[in-house]
Amino acid sequence: MTQAEIKLCSLLLQEHFGEIVEKIGVHLIRTGSQPLRVIAHDTGTSLDQVKKALCVLIQHNLVIYQVHKRGVVEYEAQCSRVLRMLRYPRYIYTAKTLYSDTGELIVEELLLNGKMTMSAVVKKVADRLTETMEDGKTMDYAEVSNTFVRLVDTHFVQRCPLVPATENSDTGPPPPAPTLVINEKDMYLVPKLSLIGKGKRRRSSDEDATGEPKAKRPKQTTGNKEPIPDDGIYWQTNLDRFHQHFRDQAIVSAVANRMDQTSSEIVRTMLRMSEVTTPSGAPFTQPLSSNEIFRSLPVGYNISKQVLDQYLTLLADDPLEFVGKSGDSGGGMYVINLHKALGSLATATLESVVQERFGSRCARIFRLVLQKKHLEQKQVEDFAMIPAKEAKDMLYKMLSENFISLQVGCL
């Protein structure tokens, strides 16, 4: 990592978790994986404080651990995950846009706490929403629970890995550190919980709900605590899914700018149909038939099947190749070429940066070099139709700023 990135990680950790966690986190970022006692020795921090700091960092997925063959547990910082803390407001706003205030608070609680049980999230969010309502109105647990299930169904929230039952039942000595595993099919499986109740408003510390002073309240026994219905099943935000959503929104926006709103709505529908079935790093979405796309278009979007087929053909024939045709069954099978789309978006961004810094003529030359890969100076002048002296000056400007490079050929 660069020094600027390390400094940024340091500031983020200090702002969110305080000085001790920041010291341990930055030490691991600088040195790589280290065992507990070495961390304590190198940072001059007590073992107890190091343990607590590592617990916080592991809770928020900012540090991972690994057991080596000799039984030593080493801890390693996840630098990219620390930097993603900058995007927490954007994740929360996206959840608000898609799932209203309830979804916003669910994602916010999970980001603030790292990992939580579903029942704890539902109760906390219901209480927070009740606080914002008029007197006499409360938020039902069932409503918050439904939004939580929708976030899981669309993979914005996922289960955390667990300690397998076989590891807990062993009679031998416990391992140096637990091994956390989870089946992919269980990652988005929501337990059946009957969360019945409503959110509660916070009262003053001196009075309870009946208005009686705190001293007059009878002491309650704590021995009859109800067991937590989903104890041991923890959830976390799926940040890769949020990034996938940002990517899809950029693709839809690019199609709208290049063609029209109807084309972008067709692409949006295709991406929405594939959002759960297509891995975030896949080069293509799953093939979708024209008939499936037609049935999945938003209700009230009045275009005929014939018009849809014309739009799909137009999208597939476009030089940018955002949409590709992969077969003829079901009225035609179509995919979104994700890698090609991202490459085109990156190219457009580069061109706009060049145009902003050097002007439209430099952008024309830069676009030519991108298309042709290699060009001689005379070819640049001819293809761009720019006088030799101006073309030379522009090439030198972009070369000095490392936007293009010079390759010397052999005779």
Side-chain angles (χ1 to χ4, degrees):
M1 293 187 77
T2 64
Q3 289 300 316
E5 288 174 321
I6 294 173
K7 179 63 175 175
L8 179 56
C9 288
S10 172
L11 293 171
L12 288 168
L13 289 172
Q14 184 170 5
E15 181 182 349
H16 283 79
F17 307 113
E19 292 182 3
I20 296 176
V21 174
E22 180 264 337
K23 182 194 289 186
I24 304 303
V26 171
H27 176 72
L28 287 175
I29 289 172
R30 291 183 184 277
T31 60
S33 59
Q34 285 195 329
L36 177 64
R37 293 192 178 277
V38 175
I39 298 170
H41 177 269
D42 290 351
T43 58
T45 311
S46 68
L47 272 177
D48 186 53
Q49 286 182 321
V50 173
K51 287 177 182 177
K52 290 178 180 178
L54 288 173
C55 283
V56 171
L57 291 166
I58 292 170
Q59 171 78 6
H60 289 266
N61 297 315
L62 304 177
V63 162
I64 59 173
Y65 59 84
Q66 185 177 1
V67 183
H68 290 274
K69 292 179 180 179
R70 294 178 296 172
V72 178
V73 181
E74 290 194 346
Y75 300 88
E76 182 180 351
Q78 300 293 288
C79 309
S80 60
R81 179 75 189 217
V82 176
L83 293 174
R84 285 183 180 184
M85 293 166 70
L86 284 170
R87 297 185 180 177
Y88 279 9
R90 191 177 180 189
Y91 302 145
I92 294 168
Y93 179 73
T94 300
K96 180 182 178 70
T97 304
L98 297 174
Y99 299 102
S100 72
D101 293 345
T102 308
E104 172 194 10
L105 293 185
I106 289 172
V107 171
E108 184 179 337
E109 286 295 329
L110 288 171
L111 288 172
L112 289 176
N113 293 280
K115 303 176 178 72
M116 293 179 74
T117 61
M118 178 179 173
S119 56
V121 173
V122 168
K123 290 174 183 176
K124 186 73 178 290
V125 170
D127 290 347
R128 289 182 62 183
L129 289 170
T130 299
E131 285 284 336
T132 63
M133 292 179 170
E134 300 173 3
D135 288 340
K137 293 185 177 180
T138 55
M139 173 59 69
D140 200 327
Y141 286 172
E143 190 173 337
V144 180
S145 181
N146 290 338
T147 304
F148 190 97
V149 171
R150 290 167 62 200
L151 281 162
V152 174
D153 287 342
T154 49
H155 295 189
F156 285 103
V157 172
Q158 63 184 14
R159 276 199 194 195
C160 301
L162 302 172
V163 179
T166 53
E167 190 168 316
N168 286 328
S169 62
D170 285 342
T171 55
T179 303
L180 305 179
V181 296
I182 190 168
N183 294 327
E184 193 170 342
K185 62 180 181 180
D186 296 333
M187 196 173 287
Y188 304 102
L189 181 64
V190 182
K192 293 182 179 179
L193 303 177
S194 55
L195 297 173
I196 301 171
K198 296 180 181 294
K200 298 178 177 63
R201 296 178 187 274
R202 284 180 295 179
R203 303 283 175 175
S204 66
S205 58
D206 298 327
E207 296 184 355
D208 65 3
T210 61
E212 292 183 4
K214 197 173 183 181
K216 292 185 179 179
R217 276 183 282 169
K219 289 184 179 180
Q220 298 179 355
T221 58
T222 57
N224 296 328
K225 273 191 174 180
E226 295 182 5
I228 301 173
D230 56 343
D231 189 23
I233 302 175
Y234 290 89
W235 299 86
Q236 62 187 354
T237 50
N238 182 5
L239 301 189
D240 289 337
R241 177 68 183 87
F242 279 96
H243 294 160
Q244 181 183 337
H245 176 75
F246 300 153
R247 177 204 67 192
D248 292 350
Q249 293 298 102
I251 292 173
V252 170
S253 177
V255 173
N257 291 335
R258 183 169 178 82
M259 296 186 177
D260 60 8
Q261 197 63 38
T262 302
S263 299
S264 69
E265 196 58 49
I266 292 169
V267 171
R268 187 197 306 276
T269 300
M270 294 175 69
L271 289 167
R272 191 175 62 246
M273 293 168 69
S274 307
E275 63 187 0
V276 174
T277 57
T278 302
S280 57
F284 300 93
T285 60
Q286 297 293 327
L288 299 167
S289 71
S290 173
N291 296 329
E292 289 176 316
I293 298 169
F294 182 70
R295 288 193 297 269
S296 299
L297 285 171
V299 178
Y301 211 79
N302 297 319
I303 64 170
S304 64
K305 177 66 167 58
Q306 183 181 0
V307 172
L308 172 65
D309 289 338
Q310 290 173 349
Y311 267 104
L312 287 170
T313 302
L314 185 66
L315 285 164
D317 291 341
D318 187 78
L320 289 182
E321 299 178 16
F322 278 25
V323 176
K325 190 170 184 180
S326 63
D328 296 315
S329 59
M333 302 294 290
Y334 295 89
V335 297
I336 304 289
N337 190 335
L338 299 172
H339 282 187
K340 187 75 175 179
L342 290 175
S344 298
L345 290 173
T347 300
T349 303
L350 282 172
E351 290 174 4
S352 66
V353 170
V354 172
Q355 182 163 340
E356 189 71 26
R357 292 187 62 173
F358 306 113
S360 58
R361 287 192 166 191
C362 274
R364 191 193 312 170
I365 293 174
F366 185 77
R367 196 175 297 116
L368 270 172
V369 176
L370 275 177
Q371 290 173 353
K372 304 291 186 180
K373 307 299 182 187
H374 301 91
L375 285 174
E376 295 179 358
Q377 183 177 325
K378 183 69 171 66
Q379 291 175 312
V380 171
E381 298 164 10
D382 294 340
F383 288 142
M385 293 183 290
I386 296 175
K389 186 175 182 303
E390 289 185 33
K392 185 177 180 180
D393 290 342
M394 291 174 186
L395 286 169
Y396 178 77
K397 281 182 185 178
M398 289 189 285
L399 181 65
S400 62
E401 295 285 342
N402 293 321
F403 282 94
I404 61 175
S405 60
L406 183 64
Q407 183 175 343
V408 180
C410 296
L411 295 176

